[in-house]
Amino acid sequence: MNRKIVDMRSRPSFLHDFYGASPSTSEYEVARWLNRRVGSKNDEHFIRSGTTEAFVEEVRETGITAAVVVGRDTPGLTVSNDVIFQVTSPYQELIGIGSVDPQKKNALAEIDRAVNQLGFAGINIEPGFGNPPLQADDPLLHPIYDACQQLGVPVFLMSGPTTPNLEYANPAAVGRVARAFPNLPIVCYHGFYPYVAEMIGVAFRYQNVYVVPDMYIFLPGGNLYVEAANGFMRDQLLFGTSYPFRAMGQTVEDFLALGLNEKVLDAVLFDNAARLLKFDV
């Protein structure tokens, strides 16, 4: 396969027990369970990525040009920006995205450090996982959005069916953010599934909204993302495996069989990500 591919959401399993780092633990079994739920044929495929080297080897073997590695900074789960930097910086195939907890006092300083010192290509926040949980348009988050807009990097919002309360996965709030910050690229991880039609509606109205359905594009209703990309949303849909919760190689193969038009595939698999993250490979 000669296509260039950017995987917009990928994490090696060794980063945290949540990703399946430790066999014979409840977290490991949850990782296997989630793999089965989203269609992985091998629910223990992720054990291979026990080291950065093995993870990168799999990226290369799969034919993925670049993989975006994103950390976490929530009250319940943290994978620090320093760890993401250590993993990604030695490899041209890996692109780091910083994460901040917007409810921490140092959030703005950490955004500046993540972008200007660590060289990350964007900032990830997870409002629905906060303590207390927040909607994406909560005024507390406006300084985060303003900082990213000023720095010229996208903000990544993660919400989907694993969000503790599905009310926070409704993307209507994303539309209000997109309207308030028209020069800010907003990337929606998990496609805010199961609110597929609502997510597509927000992307229709606001061209600064990008959608990464990742593993949820293979679930019921996910075909609507494909239908939208074959129409108006060609330049706003991006590919992601959500590894370790879905196998890399299988996900690429399954994605190519979804029915995306040939010209659309190039945009979704590579061009949109390259433009968004401002890189050339």
Side-chain angles (χ1 to χ4, degrees):
M1 182 178 63
N2 295 321
R3 292 186 185 276
K4 293 180 179 179
I5 300 173
V6 177
D7 182 349
M8 288 293 294
R9 187 173 180 84
S10 187
R11 291 72 43 96
S13 63
F14 72 82
L15 286 178
H16 200 279
D17 281 350
F18 177 75
Y19 299 134
S22 304
S24 302
T25 62
S26 59
E27 292 90 346
Y28 184 85
E29 293 306 316
V30 170
R32 293 182 62 203
W33 172 85
L34 186 53
N35 267 277
R36 294 193 297 272
R37 297 291 276 185
V38 297
S40 286
K41 296 174 182 177
N42 175 4
D43 66 6
E44 291 186 292
H45 66 88
F46 53 85
I47 61 174
R48 176 177 177 180
S49 60
T51 65
T52 305
E53 292 76 14
F55 173 67
V56 172
E57 183 179 72
E58 186 168 359
V59 169
R60 291 169 177 166
E61 287 179 6
T62 303
I64 290 172
T65 311
V68 172
V69 182
V70 58
R72 304 288 294 270
D73 192 354
T74 69
L77 199 164
T78 298
V79 179
S80 75
N81 291 332
D82 289 322
V83 168
I84 298 300
F85 179 77
Q86 291 167 9
V87 169
T88 59
S89 59
Y91 297 96
Q92 63 179 3
E93 293 93 344
L94 303 183
I95 299 169
I97 297 295
S99 292
V100 300
D101 182 343
Q103 292 167 305
K104 290 181 178 178
K105 292 181 179 180
N106 71 333
L108 294 179
E110 183 60 13
I111 289 173
D112 183 76
R113 187 180 79 94
V115 175
N116 289 322
Q117 294 185 32
L118 302 183
F120 289 155
I123 297 296
N124 173 73
I125 60 173
E126 304 175 26
F129 288 79
N131 183 21
L134 303 173
Q135 291 287 357
D137 64 340
D138 192 286
L140 180 70
L141 303 177
H142 283 202
I144 304 293
Y145 300 137
D146 185 62
C148 290
Q149 186 170 257
Q150 293 297 323
L151 288 166
V153 298
V155 67
F156 292 73
L157 298 172
M158 193 279 271
S159 196
T162 59
T163 304
N165 185 334
L166 269 180
E167 291 180 8
Y168 296 92
N170 190 324
V174 176
R176 293 189 284 271
V177 176
R179 182 169 62 248
F181 297 90
N183 297 315
L184 173 66
I186 302 167
V187 184
C188 297
Y189 273 142
H190 295 339
F192 278 53
Y193 188 89
Y195 292 94
V196 181
E198 292 84 351
M199 183 77 263
I200 291 170
V202 170
F204 177 85
R205 175 64 180 82
Y206 301 103
Q207 288 182 255
N208 58 326
V209 172
Y210 297 81
V211 184
V212 186
D214 47 77
M215 59 190 176
Y216 295 107
I217 202 168
F218 304 106
L219 295 191
N223 61 300
L224 291 177
Y225 298 118
V226 176
E227 185 177 340
N230 281 334
F232 79 90
M233 211 167 76
R234 166 183 170 173
D235 296 329
Q236 293 167 265
L237 190 76
L238 301 108
F239 170 76
T241 63
S242 208
Y243 186 96
F245 299 120
R246 209 174 194 277
M248 281 186 215
Q250 182 195 337
T251 301
V252 171
E253 291 177 5
D254 292 349
F255 193 86
L256 292 172
L258 286 174
L260 286 159
N261 296 336
E262 279 297 309
K263 291 184 179 179
V264 172
L265 272 173
D266 288 336
V268 172
L269 288 173
F270 182 81
D271 295 343
N272 296 342
R275 184 179 67 255
L276 179 72
L277 301 177
K278 302 175 183 176
F279 70 85
D280 295 311
V281 177

Coordinates of all heavy atoms in Angstrom, one line a residue, residues 46-94:
F46 N -2.5 -5.8 21.6 CA -1.8 -4.7 22.2 C -0.6 -5.1 23.0 O 0.3 -4.3 23.4 CB -2.7 -3.8 23.0 CG -3.5 -4.5 24.0 CD1 -2.9 -4.8 25.3 CD2 -4.8 -5.0 23.8 CE1 -3.7 -5.5 26.3 CE2 -5.5 -5.7 24.7 CZ -4.9 -5.9 26.0
I47 N -0.5 -6.4 23.4 CA 0.6 -6.8 24.3 C 2.0 -6.6 23.5 O 3.0 -6.5 24.2 CB 0.5 -8.3 24.7 CG1 0.5 -9.2 23.5 CG2 -0.7 -8.5 25.5 CD1 0.6 -10.7 23.9
R48 N 1.9 -6.5 22.2 CA 3.2 -6.3 21.5 C 3.8 -5.0 21.8 O 5.1 -4.9 21.8 CB 2.9 -6.4 20.0 CG 4.1 -6.1 19.1 CD 3.8 -6.2 17.6 NE 5.0 -5.8 16.8 CZ 5.0 -5.8 15.5 NH1 3.9 -6.2 14.8 NH2 6.1 -5.5 14.9
S49 N 3.0 -4.0 22.1 CA 3.6 -2.6 22.3 C 4.1 -2.4 23.8 O 3.8 -1.4 24.4 CB 2.6 -1.5 21.9 OG 1.4 -1.6 22.7
G50 N 4.9 -3.4 24.3 CA 5.4 -3.2 25.6 C 6.6 -2.3 25.7 O 7.0 -2.0 26.8
T51 N 7.1 -1.9 24.6 CA 8.2 -0.9 24.5 C 8.0 0.0 23.4 O 7.2 -0.3 22.5 CB 9.6 -1.6 24.3 OG1 9.6 -2.2 22.9 CG2 9.9 -2.7 25.3
T52 N 8.6 1.2 23.5 CA 8.5 2.2 22.4 C 8.9 1.6 21.1 O 8.3 1.8 20.0 CB 9.2 3.5 22.7 OG1 8.8 4.0 24.0 CG2 9.0 4.5 21.6
E53 N 10.1 0.9 21.1 CA 10.6 0.3 19.9 C 9.7 -0.7 19.2 O 9.5 -0.6 18.0 CB 11.9 -0.4 20.2 CG 13.1 0.5 20.7 CD 12.9 1.0 22.1 OE1 12.1 0.4 22.9 OE2 13.6 1.9 22.5
A54 N 9.0 -1.5 20.0 CA 8.1 -2.5 19.4 C 6.8 -1.7 18.9 O 6.3 -2.1 17.8 CB 7.6 -3.5 20.5
F55 N 6.4 -0.7 19.5 CA 5.3 0.1 19.1 C 5.6 0.8 17.7 O 4.8 0.7 16.8 CB 5.0 1.2 20.1 CG 3.9 2.2 19.7 CD1 2.6 1.8 19.5 CD2 4.3 3.5 19.6 CE1 1.7 2.8 19.2 CE2 3.3 4.5 19.2 CZ 2.0 4.1 19.0
V56 N 6.8 1.4 17.6 CA 7.2 2.0 16.4 C 7.3 1.0 15.3 O 7.0 1.2 14.1 CB 8.5 2.8 16.6 CG1 9.0 3.4 15.2 CG2 8.2 4.0 17.5
E57 N 7.9 -0.2 15.6 CA 8.0 -1.2 14.6 C 6.6 -1.6 14.0 O 6.5 -1.8 12.8 CB 8.7 -2.5 15.3 CG 8.9 -3.6 14.3 CD 9.6 -4.8 15.0 OE1 8.9 -5.5 15.8 OE2 10.8 -5.0 14.8
E58 N 5.6 -1.7 14.9 CA 4.3 -2.0 14.4 C 3.7 -0.9 13.5 O 3.1 -1.2 12.5 CB 3.3 -2.3 15.6 CG 2.0 -2.8 15.1 CD 1.1 -3.4 16.3 OE1 1.6 -3.4 17.4 OE2 0.0 -3.8 16.0
V59 N 3.9 0.3 13.9 CA 3.5 1.5 13.1 C 4.1 1.4 11.7 O 3.4 1.5 10.7 CB 4.0 2.8 13.8 CG1 3.8 4.0 12.8 CG2 3.2 3.1 15.0
R60 N 5.4 1.1 11.6 CA 6.1 0.9 10.3 C 5.6 -0.2 9.5 O 5.3 -0.1 8.3 CB 7.6 0.8 10.6 CG 8.3 2.1 11.1 CD 9.7 1.8 11.6 NE 10.4 3.0 12.0 CZ 11.5 3.0 12.7 NH1 12.1 1.9 13.0 NH2 12.0 4.2 13.1
E61 N 5.4 -1.4 10.2 CA 4.9 -2.6 9.5 C 3.5 -2.4 8.9 O 3.2 -2.9 7.9 CB 4.9 -3.8 10.4 CG 6.3 -4.3 10.7 CD 6.2 -5.5 11.7 OE1 5.1 -5.9 12.0 OE2 7.3 -6.0 12.1
T62 N 2.7 -1.6 9.6 CA 1.3 -1.4 9.2 C 1.2 -0.4 8.0 O 0.2 -0.4 7.3 CB 0.5 -0.8 10.4 OG1 0.6 -1.7 11.5 CG2 -1.0 -0.6 10.0
G63 N 2.3 0.3 7.8 CA 2.3 1.3 6.7 C 1.8 2.7 7.1 O 1.5 3.5 6.3
I64 N 1.7 2.9 8.4 CA 1.3 4.2 8.9 C 2.5 5.2 8.8 O 3.6 4.9 9.3 CB 0.8 4.1 10.4 CG1 -0.6 3.4 10.3 CG2 0.6 5.5 11.0 CD1 -1.1 3.0 11.7
T65 N 2.3 6.3 8.2 CA 3.4 7.3 8.0 C 3.7 8.0 9.3 O 4.9 8.2 9.6 CB 2.9 8.3 7.0 OG1 2.4 7.7 5.8 CG2 4.1 9.2 6.6
A66 N 2.7 8.3 10.1 CA 2.9 9.0 11.4 C 1.8 8.7 12.3 O 0.6 8.6 11.9 CB 3.1 10.5 11.2
A67 N 2.1 8.5 13.6 CA 1.1 8.2 14.6 C 1.1 9.3 15.6 O 2.2 9.7 16.2 CB 1.4 6.9 15.2
V68 N 0.0 9.9 15.9 CA -0.2 10.9 16.9 C -0.4 10.2 18.3 O -1.3 9.5 18.5 CB -1.4 11.8 16.6 CG1 -1.7 12.8 17.7 CG2 -1.1 12.6 15.3
V69 N 0.5 10.5 19.2 CA 0.5 10.0 20.6 C 0.0 11.0 21.5 O 0.7 12.1 21.7 CB 1.8 9.4 21.0 CG1 1.8 8.7 22.4 CG2 2.3 8.4 19.9
V70 N -1.1 10.8 22.2 CA -1.7 11.8 23.1 C -1.7 11.2 24.5 O -2.0 10.0 24.8 CB -3.1 12.2 22.7 CG1 -4.0 10.9 22.6 CG2 -3.7 13.2 23.5
G71 N -1.4 12.1 25.5 CA -1.4 11.7 26.9 C -2.7 11.9 27.5 O -3.7 12.1 26.8
R72 N -2.8 11.9 28.8 CA -4.0 12.1 29.6 C -3.7 13.0 30.8 O -2.6 12.9 31.4 CB -4.7 10.8 30.1 CG -5.0 9.8 29.0 CD -6.1 10.1 28.1 NE -7.4 10.2 28.8 CZ -8.3 9.1 28.9 NH1 -7.9 7.9 28.5 NH2 -9.5 9.3 29.5
D73 N -4.6 13.9 31.1 CA -4.5 14.7 32.4 C -5.9 14.9 32.9 O -6.5 15.9 32.7 CB -3.7 16.0 32.1 CG -3.3 16.7 33.4 OD1 -3.7 16.2 34.5 OD2 -2.6 17.7 33.3
T74 N -6.4 13.9 33.6 CA -7.7 13.9 34.3 C -7.5 13.5 35.7 O -6.5 12.9 36.1 CB -8.7 13.0 33.6 OG1 -8.3 11.6 33.8 CG2 -8.7 13.2 32.1
P75 N -8.5 13.8 36.6 CA -8.4 13.4 38.0 C -8.2 11.9 38.1 O -7.6 11.4 39.1 CB -9.7 13.9 38.6 CG -10.0 15.0 37.7 CD -9.6 14.7 36.4
G76 N -8.7 11.1 37.1 CA -8.6 9.7 37.3 C -7.5 9.0 36.5 O -7.2 7.8 36.8
L77 N -6.8 9.7 35.6 CA -5.8 9.0 34.8 C -4.9 10.1 34.2 O -5.3 11.0 33.6 CB -6.5 8.3 33.6 CG -5.6 7.2 32.9 CD1 -6.6 6.3 32.1 CD2 -4.6 7.8 32.0
T78 N -3.6 9.9 34.5 CA -2.6 10.8 34.0 C -1.4 10.1 33.3 O -0.9 9.1 33.9 CB -2.0 11.7 35.2 OG1 -3.0 12.4 35.8 CG2 -0.9 12.6 34.7
V79 N -1.2 10.5 32.1 CA 0.1 10.2 31.4 C 0.7 11.5 31.0 O 0.2 12.2 30.1 CB -0.2 9.3 30.1 CG1 1.1 9.0 29.4 CG2 -0.9 8.0 30.5
S80 N 1.8 11.8 31.7 CA 2.3 13.2 31.7 C 2.8 13.6 30.3 O 3.2 12.8 29.5 CB 3.4 13.4 32.7 OG 4.6 12.8 32.3
N81 N 2.9 14.9 30.1 CA 3.5 15.4 28.9 C 5.0 15.1 28.7 O 5.5 14.9 27.6 CB 3.3 16.9 28.8 CG 1.9 17.3 28.6 OD1 1.1 16.6 28.0 ND2 1.5 18.5 29.1
D82 N 5.7 15.0 29.9 CA 7.1 14.6 29.8 C 7.3 13.2 29.3 O 8.2 12.9 28.6 CB 7.7 14.8 31.2 CG 7.9 16.2 31.6 OD1 8.2 17.1 30.7 OD2 7.7 16.6 32.8
V83 N 6.3 12.3 29.7 CA 6.4 10.9 29.3 C 6.1 10.9 27.8 O 6.8 10.2 27.0 CB 5.4 10.0 30.0 CG1 5.2 8.7 29.4 CG2 5.9 9.9 31.5
I84 N 5.1 11.6 27.3 CA 4.8 11.6 25.9 C 6.0 12.2 25.1 O 6.3 11.7 24.0 CB 3.5 12.5 25.6 CG1 2.3 11.8 26.3 CG2 3.3 12.6 24.1 CD1 2.0 10.4 25.9
F85 N 6.7 13.2 25.6 CA 7.9 13.7 24.9 C 9.0 12.7 24.9 O 9.6 12.5 23.8 CB 8.4 14.9 25.7 CG 9.6 15.5 25.1 CD1 9.5 16.3 23.9 CD2 10.8 15.3 25.7 CE1 10.7 16.9 23.4 CE2 12.0 15.9 25.1 CZ 11.9 16.6 24.0
Q86 N 9.2 11.9 25.9 CA 10.2 10.9 25.9 C 9.9 9.8 24.9 O 10.8 9.3 24.3 CB 10.3 10.3 27.3 CG 10.9 11.2 28.4 CD 10.7 10.7 29.8 OE1 10.3 9.6 30.0 NE2 11.0 11.6 30.8
V87 N 8.6 9.5 24.8 CA 8.2 8.4 23.8 C 8.4 8.9 22.4 O 8.9 8.2 21.5 CB 6.8 8.0 24.1 CG1 6.3 7.1 23.0 CG2 6.7 7.2 25.4
T88 N 7.9 10.1 22.1 CA 7.8 10.6 20.7 C 9.0 11.2 20.1 O 9.3 11.1 18.9 CB 6.6 11.6 20.6 OG1 6.8 12.7 21.4 CG2 5.3 10.9 21.0
S89 N 9.8 12.0 20.9 CA 10.8 12.8 20.4 C 11.9 12.1 19.6 O 12.5 12.6 18.6 CB 11.5 13.7 21.5 OG 12.0 12.9 22.5
P90 N 12.3 10.8 20.0 CA 13.3 10.2 19.2 C 12.9 9.6 17.8 O 13.7 9.2 17.0 CB 13.7 9.0 20.1 CG 13.2 9.3 21.4 CD 11.9 10.0 21.2
Y91 N 11.6 9.7 17.5 CA 11.1 9.0 16.3 C 10.3 10.0 15.4 O 9.4 10.6 15.8 CB 10.2 7.9 16.7 CG 10.8 6.8 17.5 CD1 10.8 6.8 18.9 CD2 11.6 5.8 16.8 CE1 11.4 5.8 19.6 CE2 12.2 4.8 17.6 CZ 12.1 4.8 18.9 OH 12.8 3.8 19.7
Q92 N 10.7 10.1 14.1 CA 10.0 10.9 13.2 C 8.6 10.5 12.9 O 7.8 11.3 12.5 CB 10.8 11.1 11.9 CG 11.0 9.8 11.1 CD 11.8 10.0 9.8 OE1 12.2 11.1 9.6 NE2 11.9 8.9 9.1
E93 N 8.4 9.2 13.2 CA 7.0 8.7 12.9 C 6.0 9.0 14.0 O 4.8 8.8 13.8 CB 7.0 7.1 12.8 CG 7.8 6.6 11.7 CD 9.3 6.3 12.0 OE1 9.8 6.8 13.0 OE2 9.9 5.5 11.2
L94 N 6.5 9.6 15.1 CA 5.6 9.8 16.2 C 5.4 11.3 16.5 O 6.4 12.1 16.5 CB 6.1 9.2 17.5 CG 6.3 7.7 17.5 CD1 6.8 7.1 18.8 CD2 5.1 6.9 17.0

